[in-house]
Amino acid sequence: MEVLRNVLVCKAFGTQLSICSCNSVIAANIILIDARCRFYVATTDTPDKLSGDDEIQTWAQELVKPKEKGGCGILGVPGNGHFTSNDQLVLVLTSIISTCSLLHAAFNFPQYDTYGFAPNYPLMMKGRPPKDKNPLTEQDIVNTLPDKAVTLDAMLIVKLLSQKGTNSLGDFEVKFAYDPRALKIIESFQQKLSEISKLIKERNTRRKPYPWLDPEDVPNAISI
């Protein structure tokens, strides 16, 4: 089941990330699943306990409730508004955490590399779109690029957006967990993140570096 989940995550990222970075996504998602699954299963060891958890079930309903009725309107949520197994809950939590940490890091932090040089990926272009397939000259393309002031503004914006504003994944700003069982799992979680970070750093010495999914560079949450 975990392998399937992470293959799906890998496929979701596949259009943007390299195979080696996708391996980093898989590794990080496996430990995200492991950490949350072990703690919740330890405290909610029967289906009745999960079904009777009013806070969790209310949250499940809000996820699928239509937006016009005050919900999130998310389609395809396991259980469709009522979690009946820990696997369903763990999958939803892992998807949310992965999106707010791993996916955000992969798409946010390389922005300056992509947009910082205007001819590579200008944030705006002047003129009208071509109306036919006649070839353009180099000067035609240069004429569409933004002027110096707009280019500098764009560079500044993407530079700011590419900066990290929160602690790294697993290094929590606020401590919410005090249960000894949870603290033990968090410690194991942080240790596994450290091991993945060392592995990625070692791999990056043998290839074109891809640092964006190193746990040291992945933020705890989206911060803009």
Side-chain angles (χ1 to χ4, degrees), residues 115-119 145-156:
Y115 301 106
F117 180 58
L145 296 177
D147 59 29
K148 181 178 179 180
V150 173
T151 297
L152 292 175
D153 284 344
M155 292 174 65
L156 176 61

Side-chain angles (χ1 to χ4, degrees), residues 164 168-169 193 197 201 213-219:
K164 182 179 166 189
S168 299
L169 185 63
L193 287 172
S197 179
K201 286 182 172 62
L213 290 174
D214 182 335
E216 287 189 1
D217 296 315
V218 174

